[in-house]
Amino acid sequence: MSSNFKEKDNKIKKIMILFFFILFLLIILLISIFDTMKDYRRLPSLETSKKELAVRGDIVSSDNFKISTSKKIYKASIDTRHLDENKKELFIRLFSIYSNIPYKKIEKKLDDALRNSPGNLVLSYNIDSKTAKNLKELGFKLRRLDVFKARKVPGGKILRGLSINESGEKRVYSYENTLTPVVGYITKYETKNDKTRVKGIKGLEKKYDDLLNDSKDGILSGNRDVLSYISFNRNSTIKQRIDGANIVLNIPLKLQKNNEMILDIYKKKLEAKEIIVSVMDSKTGKVLSLASSNRFNPEKIYQKDIPSLNVNAIEYQFEPGSVIKPIAIALVLDKNRIKRNELLFAYNTKGKANSKGEFPRGRYKLGRFTIKDDHRFKKHYLTLDDILIFSSNIGTLQFAQRLSGPEFFEGMKRFGFTRKTGIDLPYEKKGEMPKVWQFAANDKKGEDNVYKATVSYGQGMTATFMQVLKAYSAFNNNGVAVTPKIVSYLEMDGNKYKEDKIKDEKIITEKTAKEIKRLLIKTVDKGTGREAQIPGLEIGGKTGTAQIARGGKYLKEYISSFFGFVNDGENSYTIGVTVIDPVSTGKHWYYHYASWSAVPVFKEIINNLVRLNYLTPKNDIISDKK
């Protein structure tokens, strides 16, 4: 009886143990299920978003060519831990073909990563949009070829293949060195979210940097479909990207390139350091061309390009020489201090006339200085026409003495010297001039002033090329000097915006402007600018040849200029040419004179305007040859 009871008791104990064990397992299972339901299980989100990178705006010529533009660049990357070692060579070969990156370069980069730090590897940061599209297609093919394999991670497995993502933007200059240094150049920088961006350093790129970079990235967000594409509905978010402002210029590409070709030819012929040219509409100030013989490719700047990075039309200050004479004489004319048919003594009576009947060059004593003329006259008394047409220093300085120091100083400032022109470029210099008290010395005594004398013929002061060009616009615009403008308008989000018009300044009377204009036309007809003549066009201008001063001394180096205008009855342009340090020794020593260097370039620029239909010679336009 006791034996049966014990046996029965043991069976009950075993059943109870088994029951509790099963119950324990069930509780563990339930807890596990409950925890799994509560825990984040790395399930793919049902919603997704994508940013579309906005880029910097374009710089566009007036004839609609993109001088400077930005393109998106992409980066290609892989996780080396997912790459099947047995298919590494296949991957390298295919990636090299699709990306056009050398096989050896990819192989080295991949081997170094596998050996030193397996994980995420960027194969290239600089992939264009077309290549990026092809590489995305390659990414799908590589998955089908099992080039990449899945890896176990907590909560499951992941598979990472070839990834192509926007990495930033690249600045492209399609016409390489065209319009440099005016267009300027950029530098790259990395944003907080590791995107490559650019900012302007010089030229138009710098001046309009904020507007060019005023962009907003686009955003696409919505539900994800089974293929991981965004499925759009009324709850989706679509914000289109807004690129930076486009800067549209007054400069047409064809005219600019043709002018640059002319400068390249003459720089070689004249052996000059640099030649600068500009064509500006005399009525509106629109700059149709601003060209230099010293240019560079903004995408590939080398050590040798450093001297060419500055816009010397506004940054290089020099003694302008005789191109200042019409300005000094205009100031005296404007005060009605030159009498009609007045004669001035040429100070050329010391010595006999030569076989041509020309007397020795004039010599004028001013204190401890002796001022000389370059031209030999056949007479001892000079008219206003003689003085300007044949560029007499002595005649010009005598006129300048008729102005008080403050009158002369304020007049030169009114013409724009020691002031910025207002051109839309950064880093513009202002030049230098003696102080008003220096010009006023000896006023009360009625004696000659050396500062007025030297500045009246363009020495003892400095100016920029653009200051002189702006000043000369007054002679072709009834006494009104226009502000030079390179940019026509801004284009932002499909709308066009013009900058507020700067009020042009009337600096001399219409009567004075017409008189100087007549004299400049006569200078081209009979004086130092004869080589600039073109039948059927009204052309006027003034030569200037000045020595380069450095360290308080004049060097045997020269700056030759010709500033003037051309009209065809409908169009009117102010044009400037400056040749820096042309050859002045040897067989062609005479090239340093403006009549042999700047004037021929001036004429070629006008011929270019005719060829491209900016000017039309007329039979009824006859220059004043009286």
Side-chain angles (χ1 to χ4, degrees), residues 24 53 63 74 91 100 107 116 152 181 200 216 223 256 295 318 326 353 425 448 486 489 492 550 552 607:
F24 176 74
L53 190 72
D63 44 359
Y74 298 78
F91 167 76
N100 203 30
E107 183 182 40
N116 300 320
K152 288 183 179 181
K216 293 180 181 177
N223 293 329
Q256 178 72 17
R295 303 185 301 280
F318 61 98
L425 284 171
D448 287 345
I486 294 174
Y489 61 89
M492 300 174 67
R550 192 177 300 131
N607 282 329

Side-chain angles (χ1 to χ4, degrees), residues 55-60 66-71 169-174 198 205 246 299:
V55 295
R56 185 177 174 91
D58 301 330
I59 298 177
V60 186
K66 290 181 180 179
I67 306 296
S68 174
T69 186
S70 279
K71 293 184 178 180
E169 63 179 316
K170 177 184 179 182
R171 203 64 171 160
V172 177
Y173 298 86
S174 302
V198 301
E205 295 278 23
N246 292 333
E299 290 187 58

Side-chain angles (χ1 to χ4, degrees), residues 72-199:
K72 288 187 193 179
I73 53 174
Y74 298 78
K75 69 176 180 181
S77 59
I78 61 170
D79 190 325
T80 56
R81 294 169 297 181
H82 290 263
L83 181 63
D84 188 336
E85 282 281 344
N86 297 321
K87 296 184 178 180
K88 184 182 78 170
E89 186 181 348
L90 174 63
F91 167 76
I92 296 172
R93 196 166 298 282
L94 289 173
F95 185 84
S96 174
I97 293 169
Y98 275 74
S99 66
N100 203 30
I101 299 173
Y103 180 96
K104 290 290 184 185
K105 186 175 181 180
I106 302 166
E107 183 182 40
K108 184 179 185 307
K109 187 175 283 192
L110 193 55
D111 286 344
D112 289 345
L114 289 169
R115 183 168 52 253
N116 300 320
S117 55
N120 190 62
L121 171 66
V122 178
L123 297 166
S124 175
Y125 283 99
N126 193 24
I127 293 170
D128 60 51
S129 56
K130 184 179 179 181
T131 305
K133 183 180 177 182
N134 293 335
L135 287 173
K136 284 178 182 179
E137 293 179 5
L138 175 63
F140 289 113
K141 294 176 182 178
L142 293 174
R143 288 199 179 208
R144 287 200 299 268
L145 293 170
D146 295 327
V147 171
F148 299 98
K149 55 190 178 182
R151 290 178 59 243
K152 288 183 179 181
V153 295
K157 290 184 177 182
I158 60 170
L159 174 63
R160 290 178 181 166
L162 177 61
S163 177
I164 308 297
N165 298 305
E166 291 177 345
S167 64
E169 63 179 316
K170 177 184 179 182
R171 203 64 171 160
V172 177
Y173 298 86
S174 302
Y175 302 96
E176 297 184 345
N177 66 2
T178 298
L179 197 57
T180 59
V182 171
V183 71
Y185 61 95
I186 53 87
T187 188
K188 298 176 184 177
Y189 69 96
E190 297 297 317
T191 64
K192 292 179 181 178
N193 56 353
D194 295 325
K195 301 293 184 187
T196 301
R197 293 291 196 179
V198 301
K199 62 181 178 180

Side-chain angles (χ1 to χ4, degrees), residues 396-610:
T396 304
L397 74 87
Q398 288 184 79
F399 281 137
Q401 302 303 327
R402 297 179 181 182
L403 297 173
S404 70
E407 286 174 335
F408 191 86
F409 178 79
E410 291 301 327
M412 291 296 288
K413 282 186 73 73
R414 197 165 64 250
F415 261 101
F417 299 103
T418 69
R419 293 193 299 166
K420 293 183 179 181
T421 65
I423 192 170
D424 37 1
L425 284 171
Y427 308 118
E428 183 179 9
K429 300 293 191 295
K430 296 189 292 186
E432 295 180 349
M433 194 168 60
K435 309 298 182 187
V436 63
W437 62 266
Q438 291 173 302
F439 283 126
N442 298 337
D443 272 3
K444 291 181 179 179
K445 296 179 181 179
E447 297 176 356
D448 287 345
N449 178 285
V450 69
Y451 296 104
K452 280 186 284 190
T454 55
V455 170
S456 72
Y457 53 79
Q459 290 185 5
M461 65 170 289
T462 60
T464 66
F465 171 94
M466 195 54 63
Q467 283 177 322
V468 180
L469 188 77
K470 179 176 180 175
Y472 266 69
S473 70
F475 302 139
N476 202 33
N477 192 30
N478 297 321
V480 177
V482 294
T483 300
K485 279 293 173 188
I486 294 174
V487 172
S488 175
Y489 61 89
L490 310 177
E491 197 173 52
M492 300 174 67
D493 198 20
N495 298 311
K496 295 180 180 179
Y497 301 91
K498 274 188 175 287
E499 291 189 270
D500 293 336
K501 181 175 172 57
I502 297 173
K503 188 177 179 181
D504 295 327
E505 190 176 358
K506 192 169 184 67
I507 53 178
I508 50 175
T509 64
E510 185 174 338
K511 180 182 176 182
T512 298
K514 286 183 176 178
E515 177 64 1
I516 297 294
K517 183 177 181 178
R518 179 189 70 80
L519 290 168
L520 293 176
I521 291 171
K522 200 168 181 180
T523 301
V524 169
D525 289 340
K526 296 184 176 181
T528 54
R530 286 190 299 274
E531 291 302 315
Q533 293 181 60
I534 296 175
L537 295 173
E538 183 181 66
I539 300 172
K542 180 71 185 75
T543 54
T545 303
Q547 283 182 272
I548 295 175
R550 192 177 300 131
K553 294 182 179 179
Y554 285 106
L555 310 178
K556 288 187 177 180
E557 297 176 6
Y558 299 85
I559 292 179
S560 304
S561 298
F562 190 77
F563 285 85
F565 53 81
V566 58
N567 306 310
D568 66 358
E570 296 174 7
N571 306 290
S572 60
Y573 303 110
T574 303
I575 301 174
V577 177
T578 291
V579 182
I580 301 175
D581 194 19
V583 63
S584 58
T585 58
K587 182 180 178 181
H588 298 296
W589 61 271
Y590 49 87
Y591 279 177
H592 74 279
Y593 286 115
S595 56
W596 285 95
S597 53
V599 173
V601 176
F602 185 94
K603 185 174 183 177
E604 282 300 317
I605 297 300
I606 294 177
N607 282 329
N608 200 17
L609 289 167
V610 172

Side-chain angles (χ1 to χ4, degrees), residues 157-378:
K157 290 184 177 182
I158 60 170
L159 174 63
R160 290 178 181 166
L162 177 61
S163 177
I164 308 297
N165 298 305
E166 291 177 345
S167 64
E169 63 179 316
K170 177 184 179 182
R171 203 64 171 160
V172 177
Y173 298 86
S174 302
Y175 302 96
E176 297 184 345
N177 66 2
T178 298
L179 197 57
T180 59
V182 171
V183 71
Y185 61 95
I186 53 87
T187 188
K188 298 176 184 177
Y189 69 96
E190 297 297 317
T191 64
K192 292 179 181 178
N193 56 353
D194 295 325
K195 301 293 184 187
T196 301
R197 293 291 196 179
V198 301
K199 62 181 178 180
I201 299 298
K202 292 282 285 187
L204 294 170
E205 295 278 23
K206 169 66 176 178
K207 177 68 177 180
Y208 293 94
D209 187 58
D210 289 343
L211 290 166
L212 287 164
N213 271 343
D214 187 15
S215 60
K216 293 180 181 177
D217 291 344
I219 299 174
L220 308 174
S221 65
N223 293 329
R224 184 196 298 267
D225 65 17
V226 292
L227 295 175
S228 294
Y229 291 113
I230 299 175
S231 178
F232 294 105
N233 54 41
R234 63 184 179 181
N235 297 320
S236 301
T237 301
I238 304 175
K239 287 185 180 179
Q240 292 207 357
R241 84 182 203 214
I242 300 175
D243 292 336
N246 292 333
I247 311 299
V248 182
L249 311 182
N250 289 314
I251 299 174
L253 177 66
K254 191 169 185 180
L255 176 63
Q256 178 72 17
K257 285 190 74 70
N258 281 17
N259 285 348
E260 288 174 353
M261 287 172 61
I262 291 168
L263 299 194
D264 291 345
I265 292 168
Y266 273 91
K267 182 185 179 183
K268 185 176 180 181
K269 177 182 178 180
L270 302 173
E271 300 178 42
K273 282 185 180 177
E274 183 177 11
I275 306 177
I276 303 168
V277 158
S278 187
V279 179
M280 181 175 70
D281 189 300
S282 300
K283 309 298 181 187
T284 65
K286 290 181 178 179
V287 176
L288 274 68
S289 182
L290 181 49
S292 169
S293 61
N294 294 9
R295 303 185 301 280
F296 60 92
N297 183 348
E299 290 187 58
K300 300 174 183 177
I301 297 176
Y302 299 103
Q303 188 76 22
K304 65 180 178 63
D305 295 321
I306 291 176
S308 303
L309 299 181
N310 292 338
V311 185
N312 281 338
I314 62 165
E315 295 183 64
Y316 181 64
Q317 302 166 105
F318 61 98
E319 289 192 352
S322 294
V323 293
I324 296 297
K325 289 174 182 173
I327 294 166
I329 291 172
L331 296 177
V332 186
L333 278 169
D334 222 40
K335 295 290 185 182
N336 295 314
R337 292 179 191 166
I338 299 177
K339 296 177 183 177
R340 187 177 180 84
N341 301 321
E342 182 178 2
L343 297 175
L344 292 185
F345 187 41
Y347 292 86
N348 61 349
T349 54
K350 291 184 179 180
K352 296 181 179 180
N354 62 17
S355 58
K356 296 179 182 178
E358 298 168 336
F359 291 102
R361 294 178 178 86
R363 297 171 65 88
Y364 187 92
K365 192 74 175 170
L366 202 163
R368 59 189 179 90
F369 302 99
T370 299
I371 294 162
K372 305 172 186 176
D373 268 344
D374 284 333
H375 188 77
R376 299 178 69 149
F377 293 96
K378 294 182 179 180

